[in-house]
Each structure stands twice: as structure tokens, then as C-alpha cells.
Amino acid sequence: LQTTILGPALCLLLEQRGLLVLHASCINIDGHAVAFLGGSGWGKSTLATAFHRQGYDVLTDDVMPVKIAAGQAIVLPSYPQFKVSPEALVSLGQDVERLLPVYTNSQKLSYAFTQGFQESPLPLTKIYVLKKGNQHEIVPIDSQETFSALVCHTRTINLLKEHKPLIARHFQLCTELMSIVSFNCFTRKPALEDLPALVELVKADIAKTNSCKLALELSVPTQ
């Protein structure tokens, strides 16, 4: 019952209140929200957990509510819990003996934590659209693929289709988000031993993005 309430029921309620609710996990990097977007089993929670184990605060896992207003996208924190496979947790050095399944017969464990939870909202600046492949790579993504990913990885998208006003509002929010946030396609091999390398790849990409922004700001002449 708890899984249903904190999943589909809560997502639909948030959508009705004007929020965009994505199937994503989100972390705090340098005061900005950075999200991993994708379907179940694509590695969202595993990547967020890997960052958390390195000392980064977490905003959301699996359910990411985004408030879009005044040209800014804000991620609202959810609750301090990951839903991760036992193999992923063991690879990250976590003792899983006392952890319980998310629900009966679930293949994922509930990993609740008390430290490293970002309790206040943060501006969303980057979304990585996850993709499985034979190599690790972060590349730009075009607008058509971005929009498709946002719609595909919206929580309760099937329920929204039954309500035309909600689905129209949803499409509008997706379009607005694309104009505010930077998107990249993040291709990764499904190899748990590569998690440290994936964390470093994301950190390097964000550092590169920040350097480009700074260079652009410095190149603009002052009036």
C-alpha cells in the first residue's frame, strides 16, 4: 500500500497541482539539481546512490517533481530512500543484510538514509537521459529526442492520457523545461564495477559545462 501511495497516487496528485513529475533520480552538485532520467532498471537509482556514497546530497529517487515558473525549473525534494538492487548496493560497499525489500517479492531493496538528504528545493540545470550501450559516453541530444524522452519517462503518463487538460498542460511543461534545462544522452554499459568511472564522467561533463558558461560570460562585453 505504501508503494502505491508514494508512487502512482502521489504522482497523479502532484500533476493535478501543476507540477511536472518525471521518472528520474536527482542529486545536488554544487548547489544545482542534476537528474538521471530513464525507465525502470536503467540505472537511475544506482547512479544516484553511487554519488550519495561519495558524499553528494540526494533530492529524489524515482519520483522527481519539478515546479516550472518564471523561467526557472525547481526540483522539490521527496524522501530519503533509494530503491536499489542488492548487487548494486554490495558493489558500492553497502551492507545489505538488514535491508528489506521495497515490497513483498520485490527484487530491489529499500535503502533508507539519514545523512545526505537535500531537504530544500534546488534549481534544475542538467538532465542526463540514460541509455544502455557498449561504451560510456555523454553526448548532446536533439530537441525531438529530448521531448520524446520527457513524455516517455513521465510518471503516470497512461493516466494523464485519459484527461485531455492534464496532458495538454503536461506537453506545455515539457516544452518549457527544454528551454530552461540542459539535456544530454548518457550511454553506459550495465557493469556495476564501472560505477566509479561513471560518477567521474558525469563530474567531468558538468565541470566542462560550467567552464564553457564562465568563458561565455567573460566574453560578453559590459555596457
Side-chain angles (χ1 to χ4, degrees), residues 42-57:
W42 288 24
K44 304 180 304 299
S45 298
T46 301
L47 277 170
T49 305
F51 271 92
H52 181 260
R53 298 288 290 178
Q54 288 197 17
Y56 289 84
D57 289 351

Side-chain angles (χ1 to χ4, degrees), residues 204-218:
D205 180 69
I206 291 177
K208 179 181 177 182
T209 301
N210 292 340
S211 296
C212 291
K213 287 182 179 179
L214 179 60
L216 181 61
E217 292 173 357
L218 293 176

Side-chain angles (χ1 to χ4, degrees), residues 84-87 101-109:
V84 196
S85 70
E87 296 80 9
V102 175
Y103 53 85
T104 304
N105 298 325
S106 172
Q107 296 182 351
K108 293 188 176 182
L109 298 177

Side-chain angles (χ1 to χ4, degrees), residues 197-209:
L198 295 177
V199 170
E200 293 304 317
L201 184 62
V202 172
K203 289 161 63 174
D205 180 69
I206 291 177
K208 179 181 177 182
T209 301

Side-chain angles (χ1 to χ4, degrees), residues 26-44:
C26 187
I27 58 175
N28 174 2
I29 298 183
D30 298 329
H32 296 277
V34 175
F36 304 108
L37 177 73
S40 297
W42 288 24
K44 304 180 304 299

Side-chain angles (χ1 to χ4, degrees), residues 46-222:
T46 301
L47 277 170
T49 305
F51 271 92
H52 181 260
R53 298 288 290 178
Q54 288 197 17
Y56 289 84
D57 289 351
V58 176
L59 285 89
T60 67
D61 175 52
D62 199 46
V63 176
M64 186 176 81
V66 184
K67 181 179 180 180
I68 301 175
Q72 192 174 33
I74 303 295
V75 176
L76 305 181
S78 55
Y79 44 91
Q81 173 189 274
F82 288 116
K83 293 181 285 186
V84 196
S85 70
E87 296 80 9
L89 288 172
V90 170
S91 72
L92 293 169
Q94 174 65 36
D95 181 11
V96 299
E97 290 297 324
R98 297 183 179 180
L99 300 183
L100 298 176
V102 175
Y103 53 85
T104 304
N105 298 325
S106 172
Q107 296 182 351
K108 293 188 176 182
L109 298 177
S110 173
Y111 171 36
F113 53 92
T114 55
Q115 300 294 323
F117 179 59
Q118 175 67 38
E119 297 185 12
S120 57
L122 288 179
L124 178 62
T125 58
K126 190 98 169 178
I127 292 181
Y128 292 97
V129 180
L130 299 183
K131 180 180 178 181
K132 295 180 181 180
N134 297 320
Q135 61 182 353
H136 303 317
E137 185 180 37
I138 294 177
V139 297
I141 183 173
D142 61 40
S143 57
Q144 183 176 356
E145 190 175 354
T146 298
F147 185 81
S148 176
L150 286 174
V151 173
C152 180
H153 300 305
T154 296
R155 298 298 305 249
T156 66
I157 186 64
N158 292 328
L159 294 176
L160 291 178
K161 290 178 181 178
E162 303 300 323
H163 303 275
K164 291 184 178 180
L166 282 181
I167 199 68
R169 171 64 174 167
H170 174 70
F171 287 159
Q172 178 186 346
L173 291 175
C174 287
T175 302
E176 291 181 19
L177 185 67
M178 289 170 57
S179 67
I180 300 171
V181 175
S182 173
F183 287 83
N184 282 99
C185 180
F186 185 6
T187 303
R188 54 177 290 270
K189 295 186 292 184
L192 294 175
E193 63 270 18
D194 291 342
L195 280 173
L198 295 177
V199 170
E200 293 304 317
L201 184 62
V202 172
K203 289 161 63 174
D205 180 69
I206 291 177
K208 179 181 177 182
T209 301
N210 292 340
S211 296
C212 291
K213 287 182 179 179
L214 179 60
L216 181 61
E217 292 173 357
L218 293 176
S219 66
V220 177
T222 57

